[in-house]
Amino acid sequence: MTIKDTAEEWEVTATETPFVGNKTSVRTDDVVMPDGSVVRRDYQVHPGSVAVLALDDQGRVLVIRQYRHPVRHKLWEIPAGLLDIPGENPLHAAQRELYEEAHVKAEDWRVLTDVFTTPGGCDEAVRIFLARDLSEAEGQRFEVEDEEADMELSRVPVDELVRGVLTGELHNNCLVVGVLSLIAAQHGDGLDALRPAEAPWPARPFEA
């Protein structure tokens, strides 16, 4: 048996969008179950995101600390952002986020992993990139606002992040998944065996 997620879409007999926000919305679908019954499902509609695990030549990960109001926490995270433009190339979006949030550029990009963050209640898909061969970006720093104006920036050894994940001190989804995927890749076929940066992404198709 091959352990692999597969695309599938059950019949929807009715749908409505009771809430539309600035970036996301809420959709209500009436879904036909295998026994023929119809069940209502509410979920957040999300444009998708990218995240960047930026690894420097000293084995440190670039992380930011940012306030997240829904969970009332300041979380340590890796740079990330929304796919604001439909069909946008996720690599280009990731490069933009690394520049805007950390004023850093990278020469080597690969796909670390793809995840659905909360598939029981949201259709958000995230592509997490590995970025290496880092250097300071050229030009003027991006002007931040709102929560980002209070961000802290640091570079933390991978082992320290792993410890924080396993002791329950670090909670951000992309950081947790990214760091543990990095360790798995390093102990598996190696980082150079990861998928190329523009590998297909069926969850969020894009133009190369």
Side-chain angles (χ1 to χ4, degrees), residues 28 34 36 55 60 63 94 98 102 107 119 128 138 142 163 168 172 189:
T28 298
L55 184 68
R60 301 174 302 176
V63 291
L98 185 60
E107 298 302 323
I128 303 176
E138 300 172 356
F142 181 77
R163 181 199 61 78
N172 175 263
D189 294 332

mmCIF file of all heavy atoms in Angstrom, residues 28 34 36 55 60 63 94 98 102 107 119 128 138 142 163 168 172 189:
data_model
loop_
_atom_site.group_PDB
_atom_site.id
_atom_site.type_symbol
_atom_site.label_atom_id
_atom_site.label_comp_id
_atom_site.label_asym_id
_atom_site.label_seq_id
_atom_site.Cartn_x
_atom_site.Cartn_y
_atom_site.Cartn_z
ATOM 1 N N THR A 28 -19.796 28.076 3.495
ATOM 2 C CA THR A 28 -20.636 27.006 4.028
ATOM 3 C C THR A 28 -21.077 26.118 2.868
ATOM 4 O O THR A 28 -21.719 26.597 1.932
ATOM 5 C CB THR A 28 -21.859 27.571 4.755
ATOM 6 O OG1 THR A 28 -21.424 28.366 5.864
ATOM 7 C CG2 THR A 28 -22.751 26.453 5.273
ATOM 8 N N PRO A 34 -20.943 9.570 2.250
ATOM 9 C CA PRO A 34 -20.986 8.271 1.560
ATOM 10 C C PRO A 34 -22.315 7.532 1.708
ATOM 11 O O PRO A 34 -22.695 6.750 0.829
ATOM 12 C CB PRO A 34 -19.844 7.495 2.222
ATOM 13 C CG PRO A 34 -18.868 8.552 2.631
ATOM 14 C CD PRO A 34 -19.724 9.701 3.074
ATOM 15 N N GLY A 36 -25.206 8.945 1.690
ATOM 16 C CA GLY A 36 -26.246 9.702 1.031
ATOM 17 C C GLY A 36 -26.791 10.869 1.833
ATOM 18 O O GLY A 36 -27.538 11.704 1.296
ATOM 19 N N LEU A 55 18.580 29.059 6.124
ATOM 20 C CA LEU A 55 19.656 28.412 6.875
ATOM 21 C C LEU A 55 20.990 29.030 6.486
ATOM 22 O O LEU A 55 21.371 28.991 5.311
ATOM 23 C CB LEU A 55 19.653 26.910 6.574
ATOM 24 C CG LEU A 55 20.650 26.024 7.323
ATOM 25 C CD1 LEU A 55 20.290 25.951 8.808
ATOM 26 C CD2 LEU A 55 20.663 24.624 6.703
ATOM 27 N N ARG A 60 22.510 28.095 11.422
ATOM 28 C CA ARG A 60 21.480 28.812 12.163
ATOM 29 C C ARG A 60 20.303 29.133 11.252
ATOM 30 O O ARG A 60 20.473 29.347 10.050
ATOM 31 C CB ARG A 60 22.041 30.103 12.759
ATOM 32 C CG ARG A 60 23.217 29.901 13.703
ATOM 33 C CD ARG A 60 23.805 31.247 14.127
ATOM 34 N NE ARG A 60 24.232 32.025 12.963
ATOM 35 C CZ ARG A 60 24.709 33.269 13.035
ATOM 36 N NH1 ARG A 60 24.814 33.872 14.213
ATOM 37 N NH2 ARG A 60 25.072 33.913 11.939
ATOM 38 N N VAL A 63 14.934 33.553 12.239
ATOM 39 C CA VAL A 63 13.591 33.533 12.809
ATOM 40 C C VAL A 63 13.173 34.943 13.208
ATOM 41 O O VAL A 63 14.005 35.806 13.488
ATOM 42 C CB VAL A 63 13.490 32.592 14.032
ATOM 43 C CG1 VAL A 63 13.617 31.144 13.614
ATOM 44 C CG2 VAL A 63 14.550 32.943 15.077
ATOM 45 N N ALA A 94 8.043 33.851 -1.943
ATOM 46 C CA ALA A 94 8.943 33.532 -0.837
ATOM 47 C C ALA A 94 10.166 34.454 -0.835
ATOM 48 O O ALA A 94 10.605 34.923 0.226
ATOM 49 C CB ALA A 94 9.381 32.077 -0.928
ATOM 50 N N LEU A 98 11.171 37.016 2.284
ATOM 51 C CA LEU A 98 12.479 36.997 2.936
ATOM 52 C C LEU A 98 13.112 38.382 2.889
ATOM 53 O O LEU A 98 13.722 38.837 3.854
ATOM 54 C CB LEU A 98 13.385 35.962 2.257
ATOM 55 C CG LEU A 98 14.750 35.736 2.907
ATOM 56 C CD1 LEU A 98 14.601 35.249 4.351
ATOM 57 C CD2 LEU A 98 15.576 34.744 2.098
ATOM 58 N N ALA A 102 13.202 40.238 6.501
ATOM 59 C CA ALA A 102 14.547 40.082 7.056
ATOM 60 C C ALA A 102 15.621 40.842 6.295
ATOM 61 O O ALA A 102 16.769 40.873 6.727
ATOM 62 C CB ALA A 102 14.917 38.593 7.104
ATOM 63 N N GLU A 107 20.761 32.485 -2.530
ATOM 64 C CA GLU A 107 21.123 32.027 -3.869
ATOM 65 C C GLU A 107 20.622 30.612 -4.157
ATOM 66 O O GLU A 107 20.418 30.242 -5.306
ATOM 67 C CB GLU A 107 22.656 32.069 -4.033
ATOM 68 C CG GLU A 107 23.252 33.452 -3.907
ATOM 69 C CD GLU A 107 22.690 34.436 -4.913
ATOM 70 O OE1 GLU A 107 22.419 34.028 -6.068
ATOM 71 O OE2 GLU A 107 22.504 35.620 -4.548
ATOM 72 N N PRO A 119 -6.652 21.335 7.825
ATOM 73 C CA PRO A 119 -7.585 20.873 6.795
ATOM 74 C C PRO A 119 -8.989 20.571 7.291
ATOM 75 O O PRO A 119 -9.906 20.431 6.476
ATOM 76 C CB PRO A 119 -6.906 19.610 6.252
ATOM 77 C CG PRO A 119 -5.999 19.157 7.350
ATOM 78 C CD PRO A 119 -5.523 20.404 8.021
ATOM 79 N N ILE A 128 6.683 25.398 2.121
ATOM 80 C CA ILE A 128 7.825 25.824 2.928
ATOM 81 C C ILE A 128 9.101 25.584 2.125
ATOM 82 O O ILE A 128 9.385 24.456 1.718
ATOM 83 C CB ILE A 128 7.890 25.072 4.265
ATOM 84 C CG1 ILE A 128 6.574 25.261 5.047
ATOM 85 C CG2 ILE A 128 9.074 25.556 5.098
ATOM 86 C CD1 ILE A 128 6.513 24.478 6.341
ATOM 87 N N GLU A 138 20.223 44.002 -1.109
ATOM 88 C CA GLU A 138 20.614 45.347 -1.502
ATOM 89 C C GLU A 138 19.406 46.281 -1.454
ATOM 90 O O GLU A 138 18.263 45.842 -1.434
ATOM 91 C CB GLU A 138 21.194 45.324 -2.919
ATOM 92 C CG GLU A 138 22.426 44.433 -3.057
ATOM 93 C CD GLU A 138 22.847 44.276 -4.502
ATOM 94 O OE1 GLU A 138 22.132 44.797 -5.386
ATOM 95 O OE2 GLU A 138 23.877 43.616 -4.744
ATOM 96 N N PHE A 142 12.486 47.363 3.568
ATOM 97 C CA PHE A 142 11.039 47.466 3.411
ATOM 98 C C PHE A 142 10.432 48.119 4.642
ATOM 99 O O PHE A 142 10.802 47.806 5.782
ATOM 100 C CB PHE A 142 10.448 46.065 3.204
ATOM 101 C CG PHE A 142 8.972 46.048 2.996
ATOM 102 C CD1 PHE A 142 8.419 46.401 1.772
ATOM 103 C CD2 PHE A 142 8.117 45.679 4.022
ATOM 104 C CE1 PHE A 142 7.044 46.381 1.577
ATOM 105 C CE2 PHE A 142 6.746 45.650 3.835
ATOM 106 C CZ PHE A 142 6.221 46.007 2.604
ATOM 107 N N ARG A 163 14.913 21.598 20.155
ATOM 108 C CA ARG A 163 14.632 21.449 21.584
ATOM 109 C C ARG A 163 13.361 22.227 21.955
ATOM 110 O O ARG A 163 12.492 21.723 22.681
ATOM 111 C CB ARG A 163 15.819 21.977 22.407
ATOM 112 C CG ARG A 163 15.620 21.838 23.926
ATOM 113 C CD ARG A 163 16.554 22.746 24.698
ATOM 114 N NE ARG A 163 16.328 24.157 24.374
ATOM 115 C CZ ARG A 163 15.322 24.883 24.850
ATOM 116 N NH1 ARG A 163 14.437 24.332 25.685
ATOM 117 N NH2 ARG A 163 15.189 26.145 24.505
ATOM 118 N N GLY A 168 7.693 21.959 23.808
ATOM 119 C CA GLY A 168 6.453 22.714 23.792
ATOM 120 C C GLY A 168 6.625 24.207 23.993
ATOM 121 O O GLY A 168 5.683 24.903 24.370
ATOM 122 N N ASN A 172 4.649 27.798 16.407
ATOM 123 C CA ASN A 172 4.241 28.195 15.063
ATOM 124 C C ASN A 172 4.324 27.017 14.103
ATOM 125 O O ASN A 172 5.345 26.329 14.023
ATOM 126 C CB ASN A 172 5.117 29.344 14.571
ATOM 127 C CG ASN A 172 4.822 29.727 13.136
ATOM 128 O OD1 ASN A 172 5.508 29.281 12.228
ATOM 129 N ND2 ASN A 172 3.796 30.526 12.922
ATOM 130 N N ASP A 189 18.223 11.670 2.582
ATOM 131 C CA ASP A 189 19.003 11.729 1.346
ATOM 132 C C ASP A 189 19.824 13.010 1.207
ATOM 133 O O ASP A 189 20.547 13.181 0.226
ATOM 134 C CB ASP A 189 18.061 11.600 0.139
ATOM 135 C CG ASP A 189 17.393 10.237 0.071
ATOM 136 O OD1 ASP A 189 18.009 9.263 0.571
ATOM 137 O OD2 ASP A 189 16.277 10.141 -0.462
#
